[in-house]
Amino acid sequence: MEYLYYLLAYIMGSVSFSYLLVKIFKNEDVRNKGSKNAGGTNVIRVYGWKLGLPVAILDIFKGVFVSFIFKKYDLGYPVVALFFAVLGHCYPIFMKFKGGKGIATTAGGFTFLFLNAFPFGLAVFSGLAILTGYVSVASIFMVFTAGVFIINTYVLEKIEIVAIVGIIFLAIIRHNSNIKRLIRREENQFRFGGK
């Protein structure tokens, strides 16, 4: 039965708020705009903060919600459920498996489950985003360092450690194109504003 709950976590993760909000308010497919990524950062780049910020908040809430439900009702390992929610966000069943990069959903779940990791992750993300101007760099290092911090700080079972490592790998895999552009020095730095 527990496996069905994890499937439910994946399905909940597959709900793409970037796609839904852009479709509702702009009648466009966010996957055809900007970086063609169905995520909050791309929405901010293309449409501005008024639309992008709600998307980011909802994506964060998605990670919190899945983690909360699993923890409150003891449906399984909350961090394993978070992995499946992030997997759903990255590869949503409703959108031909073309989703976002899972950073906001990861941040929400990590913050809820491992509160001590929040200031650490926030410091890494903010510092690198400001210093480099690359959200991709800040995102990858935030998930990696927060994950390593959690594994080394909290008492976890093996399956929980595997789930966290899986989340880290998802962040890296989903930023594969960004990494290639960084190597070629073609990655775009973040710009405020938008339409």
Side-chain angles (χ1 to χ4, degrees), residues 4-193:
L4 293 178
Y5 293 138
Y6 291 134
L7 176 61
L8 180 61
Y10 167 78
I11 292 172
M12 287 190 286
S14 292
V15 177
S16 175
F17 293 112
S18 60
Y19 176 83
L20 290 174
L21 267 64
V22 170
K23 196 68 175 177
I24 291 169
F25 291 104
K26 299 294 182 179
N27 195 30
E28 295 177 342
D29 188 337
V30 67
R31 295 171 299 174
N32 296 328
K33 300 291 181 177
S35 65
K36 304 186 187 305
N37 177 64
T41 300
N42 192 36
V43 176
I44 292 171
R45 286 181 188 274
V46 177
Y47 300 101
W49 287 95
K50 287 184 179 180
L51 192 55
L53 187 58
V55 169
I57 291 172
L58 287 168
D59 283 344
I60 290 170
F61 175 76
K62 182 161 59 177
V64 173
F65 180 75
V66 170
S67 302
F68 169 78
I69 291 297
F70 269 72
K71 188 172 183 178
K72 181 175 177 62
Y73 296 103
D74 194 24
L75 301 179
Y77 293 98
V79 73
V80 176
L82 177 63
F83 165 78
F84 280 102
V86 174
L87 183 67
H89 181 90
C90 295
Y91 304 100
I93 192 171
F94 307 120
M95 297 169 58
K96 298 180 179 178
F97 306 104
K98 296 179 181 179
K101 298 183 178 177
I103 302 304
T105 301
T106 296
F110 273 4
T111 300
F112 176 77
L113 296 172
F114 311 104
L115 186 58
N116 290 340
F118 172 73
F120 183 76
L122 181 63
V124 171
F125 181 85
S126 301
L128 285 174
I130 292 170
L131 287 173
T132 68
Y134 296 119
V135 174
S136 56
V137 172
S139 298
I140 294 168
F141 275 92
M142 178 194 71
V143 173
F144 177 80
T145 54
V148 171
F149 175 83
I150 291 166
I151 290 171
N152 284 283
T153 303
Y154 290 84
V155 177
L156 303 170
E157 294 192 29
K158 287 183 179 179
I159 192 171
E160 295 176 297
I161 294 174
V162 169
I164 292 172
V165 172
I167 290 171
I168 293 171
F169 271 104
L170 278 175
I172 295 171
I173 291 168
R174 293 299 293 159
H175 283 87
N176 181 54
S177 59
N178 302 85
I179 294 170
K180 289 179 179 177
R181 287 195 297 271
L182 283 164
I183 293 172
R184 297 195 304 263
R185 298 184 179 181
E186 296 174 355
E187 176 78 336
N188 292 322
Q189 290 181 298
F190 188 78
R191 293 288 181 268
F192 290 92

